[in-house]
Amino acid sequence: MTRTDVAMPPTRPTALGGYEDWPVYMAAHRHEADSPERRQLADVLGVPAVPSNLAYTTHRETEHDGVITSSLSWQLGFGPRTAAWFVRPAGVTGPLPAVLALHCHGGLKFYGAERLVALQDQPADHDAGVPPQEIRASLYGGRALATWLAQQGFAVLAHDTFMWGSRRFGLDPLPWRTANAIDGQQALWREAGVEPSTQQRYDAAAAAHEETVAKAATLMGTTVAGTVAHDDLAALGVLASLPGVDQDRIACLGFSGGGGRALLLAALSPVIRSYVVTCMMTTFASLLPAYLDAHSWLLHSPGLAGLGEWPDLATRSTARALVQYALDDPLFPEQGMRDAHAYLAGHLPPGLYGGSFWREPHVFSRAMQEEAAAFLAAALRPGHRINSPVPDRTRTDS
């Protein structure tokens, strides 16, 4: 018991707002992988079972800028309903190569996949919060990545995953420890005369609440990354069932936390033919001691290091991989990135791995996106062999 527990009123609010059904579902539904290696990884992460033949609802469709954007949703076995967007080239019936676009962590959970999709009805500002457009400007070179990929000829699905957007936790009222943890931020706002937006208040609380979610996951025999992987596996199944999608040519990509999600998804599912990991590759050893607090529970999964180093996950997949490293990234030491690159180059069969080094901070720049799209186009072309990425003037030598 802490002083916080003693000081709070006797009625304790839920710490799992909107997810009170998560423990019951987790107790009865464990993911059944189709190979010993995938089963081992799913067991360590505690991946919940994904409902088979998951039904989705199409709410509306709009056509602009050469693409058709469909708003979708589906209900998983626990928690709130999932919102997603399916973006495809206008005037093309398929079958198209498909990409599951995985949004980043970004320290911002109020929005999820909206940061990747250009929506005609998306407000220009959100009461002094950080709208999706601003996230794109700071991290994605100003591009709506999913929409841009569809303009390049891919069918793209972008979904909110566990803890983000439509799948975020209800934090009103705040759980006790979360309320205590954000007292300092609230004091700073008051001192500065700032009236925080709903989004700002939520994101501050959600950052602290992630520790509580990780504790809850541990009690249930799962992990934050494993539950996120459950949502991503479900979205992958939806993508494969969408009209105009070539089920034999499906890839995934992500930046930062989304890159970690792409790595795990490729290791867990044989459906993934190729994938891109951007600004999310290093060794576990390199995070000690100074870089531990640079990352979320998406990277720090209990028990995962027992299976090997972080790049070892790539050896569990036969998909073709491109890993993009940013040498000015303050979240990873350069030596850790170079060690991971050397490991992957030495342990993956020829043709399955390409690594590129960029003199960039923690961003998914337009040039990096263009390299990723070219890689996926080549990797998903039937019978086409992957070539080494073409050097770009903004890149460094590997």
Side-chain angles (χ1 to χ4, degrees), residues 283-318:
T283 63
F284 287 137
S286 72
L287 300 176
L288 299 167
Y291 289 82
L292 281 171
D293 61 356
H295 301 282
S296 76
W297 286 96
L298 286 179
L299 181 59
H300 298 301
S301 292
L304 187 58
L307 300 184
E309 274 284 0
W310 180 246
D312 271 309
L313 292 172
T315 67
R316 294 173 175 267
S317 172
T318 58

Side-chain angles (χ1 to χ4, degrees), residues 7-323:
M8 290 295 183
T11 302
R12 182 183 287 270
T14 177
L16 297 178
Y19 281 91
E20 287 82 3
D21 54 352
W22 181 24
V24 174
Y25 185 88
M26 190 65 216
H29 300 87
R30 296 281 180 156
H31 178 65
E32 293 292 335
D34 61 355
S35 75
E37 276 208 326
R38 283 189 279 271
R39 187 176 306 116
Q40 182 188 45
L41 178 58
D43 287 346
V44 167
L45 293 175
V47 180
V50 176
S52 59
N53 301 316
L54 188 63
Y56 64 87
T57 300
T58 302
H59 299 282
R60 61 188 177 277
E61 288 190 344
T62 59
E63 183 175 340
H64 59 92
D65 300 322
V67 301
I68 297 171
T69 303
S70 302
S71 171
L72 310 179
S73 72
W74 55 82
Q75 181 61 58
L76 294 169
F78 59 94
R81 195 169 179 85
T82 299
W85 292 267
F86 180 48
V87 195
R88 61 200 188 277
V92 180
T93 57
L96 291 169
V99 177
L100 188 64
L102 305 169
H103 65 75
C104 63
H105 186 299
L108 301 166
K109 296 197 178 87
F110 192 84
Y111 296 105
E114 284 176 89
R115 68 193 71 182
L116 303 181
V117 185
L119 300 173
Q120 288 186 311
D121 57 351
Q122 208 166 53
D125 68 68
H126 291 252
D127 187 25
V130 183
Q133 296 94 323
E134 190 170 323
I135 300 173
R136 288 178 214 145
S138 62
L139 297 176
Y140 292 91
R143 270 186 182 150
L145 179 61
T147 300
W148 178 78
L149 284 170
Q151 291 168 338
Q152 310 313 303
F154 298 96
V156 186
L157 182 66
H159 67 287
D160 293 339
T161 200
F162 174 69
M163 298 196 302
W164 276 266
S166 58
R167 290 282 281 170
R168 63 181 180 261
F169 280 80
L171 297 179
D172 186 15
L174 289 173
W176 285 1
R177 287 182 182 242
T178 304
N180 185 61
I182 67 168
D183 277 349
Q185 178 61 61
Q186 291 174 327
L188 289 173
W189 281 327
R190 287 192 298 270
E191 181 71 21
V194 171
E195 180 58 37
S197 68
T198 300
Q199 179 199 340
Q200 286 174 310
R201 287 194 296 269
Y202 183 86
D203 283 331
H209 186 248
E210 190 169 313
E211 305 294 324
T212 296
V213 177
K215 286 194 292 185
T218 300
L219 287 178
M220 290 178 240
T222 182
T223 59
V224 168
T227 310
V228 167
H230 157 271
D231 281 28
D232 293 345
L233 286 164
L236 181 61
V238 171
L239 175 58
S241 73
L242 288 168
V245 167
D246 187 338
Q247 297 183 1
D248 294 324
R249 295 191 292 155
I250 297 179
C252 63
L253 90 165
F255 157 70
S256 191
R261 292 165 60 194
L263 181 64
L264 284 173
L265 188 59
L268 287 167
S269 175
V271 173
I272 297 297
R273 278 268 313 271
S274 63
Y275 63 101
V276 178
V277 177
T278 302
C279 294
M280 198 60 185
M281 182 58 70
T282 191
T283 63
F284 287 137
S286 72
L287 300 176
L288 299 167
Y291 289 82
L292 281 171
D293 61 356
H295 301 282
S296 76
W297 286 96
L298 286 179
L299 181 59
H300 298 301
S301 292
L304 187 58
L307 300 184
E309 274 284 0
W310 180 246
D312 271 309
L313 292 172
T315 67
R316 294 173 175 267
S317 172
T318 58
R320 296 172 174 179
L322 170 66
V323 178

